[in-house]
Amino acid sequence: MREEIAVVDADGATPAGRDGLIDRRLDGRLLGPGLVVLAGGPGTGRTTALRTFASSFRGPVFHGGGLATLRHLPGMALARAVRARLPERDAPLAAEAVRARVGDGLLVVDDVHHADALSLAVLPLLADACRVLVAIRTPGGLPPGAEEALRAAATQWTVLTGLDAVSARELARSVAPALEERGLDAVLARAGGNPLAVRALALRAAQRGDAETAPTSGDEDSAAGALDRAVAAAVADLPRSARTALAALGLLGRPASPLLLGPGLPELVDAGWVTVDGDLATPAPRYLAEVAAAVLPPAERSGLHRRLADLLGGLESARHSRAGGDPVGAYRSALAATRAAPTVGDRAAALLLAVDAAVEAGAAGDVDPGRTPTGPDGARPRPLPALRLEAAEAALAAGDLPGCHRMLADGSDAGPGPFAGASAGDRVRAAVLRAEALLQGGDAREAMSAAGAVAATGAPDVLRAEHTRVTLLASLAGDPGDAAERAGAVPAELSGFPAVQVALAAVGARARRDGWIERLNAAASAALADGRPVDAWWSGWLLTENLLADGRVTEANAVAAQYRAACAGQLAYSWETRFAAAELWSGALLGVDLDSVVRGAVDLLDRTLPVQARSYALAAASLALADTGALAPARSRLDHDRAGRGASEVVRWVDSEVAWLDGQPDRALAAAGPADGSLPGGLGAVTARWARHDLRGPDEPGSPGPGSPGPGSRGSGAPPEPDGRHRLLPVRATLSAWAATMPDGSGDASGPAPSVVAFETAAALWQGSALREQVRCLLAAGLSTPDADRALPPLLAAEKYAEHAGLTVLLGRVHRALRQFSVRRTTIDRSRTSTLTGREREVLALVAAGEPTRRIAGQLGISRETVETHVRSGMRKLGARTRTEAAALVLDGAG
């Protein structure tokens, strides 16, 4: 009989529930004589299971086991248990000798795969005479016929499998509590539930900060070394065909067709080392395959890489050719893949590999240094610097800045560099690409220096145009006034090039010249027609940012969505994340599906992002979390994500706004930046005005009426009031409305009506750009007058908008204002929250912590669909309109 038991630890620290499971299942099989076999791969806890049961057995226990170094001694595995020498040439007589000593006790034999031939012959004979519990590593390790004999005699054959998702995560977190979530996810993906692998890989990742560290074969750390040695020993015992199939999976690094893996696959499947689902075979865990590949002798590994290269095609074939020591073949395959690449991302990857292979071919003497091998169709060799430039340009198009920098490494600190002997034109092109990479990375000053390091005078017009373009864009990012002067000095013969059109359109957009949107769109279309996707992405990005700065958020959202889809289709990951983050930021301002904004932004923040994308994603996640009531997670993200904060005025305003929402007006004022002419600057001025209002209290000058939600008083020490001058109309109208509440001559102090009308007018102007600001203006309108007839309409409108969008904190302020006019709303019946199940509370608590659905599913060992079911059920029971609102209620103790 075969069954599977999931083990929870690998060194004896197993929970009582799992111990009880083993006790109940094995006790029933060992009430009388019988042979019970515990089988499993390295690290699954066979020895732990043996010790667990032996410690609970009531009676004498005889411990023995095989030793690889003593396998040549007859009967040694059993002699160690009964402490007596056994007859060496007669298996039945040896079995009787063992039975006489064990009697009614329990014989425990570990590591049967290392046992001698006599012990292997005796064990099946004991099945009818003694209680025998043995552990065997599978697959492989036993001589032909031995496993079949054990299976035939066994009364129970139990396969110890890996941990479930929850237990694996708990184990990894217990041994590496400081490991970040992305590293933890990578560890669990590689370990596949194998307890020893989970423990060792988590420790290694925590120590090295790299969850993808390759397998080791040494003893540099005990846990990882023990794992590698255990797996390597098991792999060495496999039949050659199975070992080759497993190593092939390790070299591929992905599931593969069973037809690719050969005749050794069935044995791996039977042992549970590989699972087959349809047309794909997957190692379980992945780490077993990695070690199997790592322990291959170098010659065998290279040969297997070359065989895989022959069987595969495209870029994958090139990678295996290179790893197999055939850089010329790798170059040709990569170049062929370049020509067939369907996206800019695929093309960049292929060109980068072609350069690396060409460099290796030159170093090996296969081709002349500085030249490439012949092409896949016999094409003549090319100068290597020209290929480097092509690869660098492709990397930029895909947003791979490190790849671009690697291709352009100038070697100024060590050696002459790859372009020392290149033509003047190639040196100009290299300088342009280096400046572009720096500019995309957010370093405009260094980009200007890189562009200015090589003069474009005398270069062909197309290179002069590219040099002009990157210089203008870098200047625009650092000094817009200088950019305008440079734009006016662009020679007429260059202004028609698509590259220069992009830069000139960008300068015009910064100055908001008439038709700037149309010029940016036209420049993008011309760039795409000219085969310059990076210029098109730049045009789209500048259009998005300028629209956002102008408060045209709905338009910016549409542009960002359009370009995000285009970049995703071309695998331009870096650019895609920029537009995705801007789209999420737009959604946070517009108040459209804030739950989706939180999920999308948190998911983005789990990745490596360009600085611009990280700032927008951080701002979107923090603002949406705070607006929907999860103030603590919002504050935590802002406080701990230094890379996202940077010098971003968007994040600076969100920092101030979250403090205000959290009832900390002092902190809001301290975090506020200068009130410049952009939308974030204007929003900062509005938030500062609300913070001053809260600090003054309802009865001091400058406070709009008796319904003030703000506590405390600051008195005459408050900072000076902002004026209403701002280039954006909604901001200007909002600040002017605040000024109209002042009884100091800046507004009409004779009655409340002017300020109410001013706030309502401002609210209408925010429509389509920032729903939350529309709500705040309507709230301020209601607070500006003690007249219920005048105050209630804007307050009720604010309530409707806030309720529909899930703006929980602002809705609370609106309800407090309504109570000033004896309008009370039914709040959530807190007694209903007691109906939440434990799992619903657990899921909502993770939602409140800002975890995306996929990570919640992984942590709890349930499907994504089940997570969403628990969230919806919790929302229904709590009466919450959004998942984040329900989560905030649980976080605050409402659940």
Side-chain angles (χ1 to χ4, degrees), residues 83-416:
R83 299 183 182 277
R85 189 171 181 178
L86 303 180
E88 296 182 5
R89 300 182 183 279
D90 191 331
L93 187 59
E96 178 59 26
V98 172
R99 185 205 62 77
R101 287 165 175 80
V102 173
D104 291 331
L106 174 66
L107 175 63
V108 176
V109 187
D110 200 0
D111 293 332
V112 170
H113 49 283
H114 290 320
D116 56 279
L118 178 61
S119 295
L120 289 173
V122 168
L123 283 172
L125 301 177
L126 295 173
D128 295 329
C130 300
R131 296 180 181 89
V132 185
L133 178 62
V134 304
I136 178 173
R137 186 190 67 208
T138 56
L142 291 177
E147 182 174 330
E148 289 77 1
L150 285 172
R151 284 183 180 272
T155 53
Q156 179 77 39
W157 187 285
T158 296
V159 178
L160 298 181
T161 61
L163 308 177
D164 59 55
V166 176
S167 300
R169 185 171 288 273
E170 289 175 353
L171 176 59
R173 184 57 75 198
S174 70
V175 298
L179 188 61
E180 64 172 7
E181 284 297 323
R182 278 179 295 175
L184 184 60
D185 290 341
V187 163
L188 297 176
R190 298 179 71 203
N194 182 290
L196 183 58
V198 171
R199 179 183 296 278
L201 296 178
L203 284 171
R204 182 185 293 171
Q207 291 165 0
R208 299 183 179 182
D210 180 8
E212 291 293 334
T213 301
T216 65
S217 56
D219 300 322
E220 80 281 1
D221 58 80
S222 59
L227 171 64
D228 294 345
R229 290 191 299 274
V231 175
V235 169
D237 287 334
L238 290 171
R240 183 180 182 86
S241 59
R243 186 168 64 245
T244 301
L246 189 62
L249 281 169
L251 295 180
L252 286 167
R254 61 169 176 82
S257 166
L259 298 176
L260 189 67
L261 302 176
L265 182 62
E267 186 165 1
L268 296 172
V269 173
D270 185 59
W273 284 32
V274 172
T275 60
V276 176
D277 183 9
D279 294 332
L280 289 179
T282 305
R286 194 176 87 198
Y287 193 74
L288 294 178
E290 293 174 358
V291 173
V295 300
L296 281 177
E300 285 189 37
R301 186 162 57 251
S302 296
L304 185 53
H305 271 301
R306 288 194 293 272
R307 290 207 302 276
L308 289 172
D310 292 338
L311 293 170
L312 300 169
L315 187 57
E316 196 169 22
S317 175
R319 291 191 178 111
H320 285 292
S321 290
R322 184 185 174 203
D326 181 14
V328 173
Y331 169 79
R332 290 170 179 159
S333 295
L335 212 59
T338 298
R339 297 170 182 173
T343 68
V344 295
D346 293 320
R347 183 171 184 274
L351 280 170
L352 291 172
L353 194 150
V355 170
D356 292 336
V359 170
E360 290 178 10
D366 296 333
V367 297
D368 292 335
R371 307 286 293 178
T372 69
T374 56
D377 51 1
R380 297 174 59 184
R382 303 173 54 188
L384 186 55
L387 183 64
R388 282 182 174 273
L389 292 173
E390 187 178 353
E393 187 169 20
L396 278 178
D400 181 3
L401 302 187
C404 178
H405 284 300
R406 185 164 61 83
M407 292 296 101
L408 300 175
D410 57 19
S412 57
D413 295 329

Side-chain angles (χ1 to χ4, degrees), residues 66 360 432 494 754 869:
E360 290 178 10
V432 167
L494 300 182
T869 298

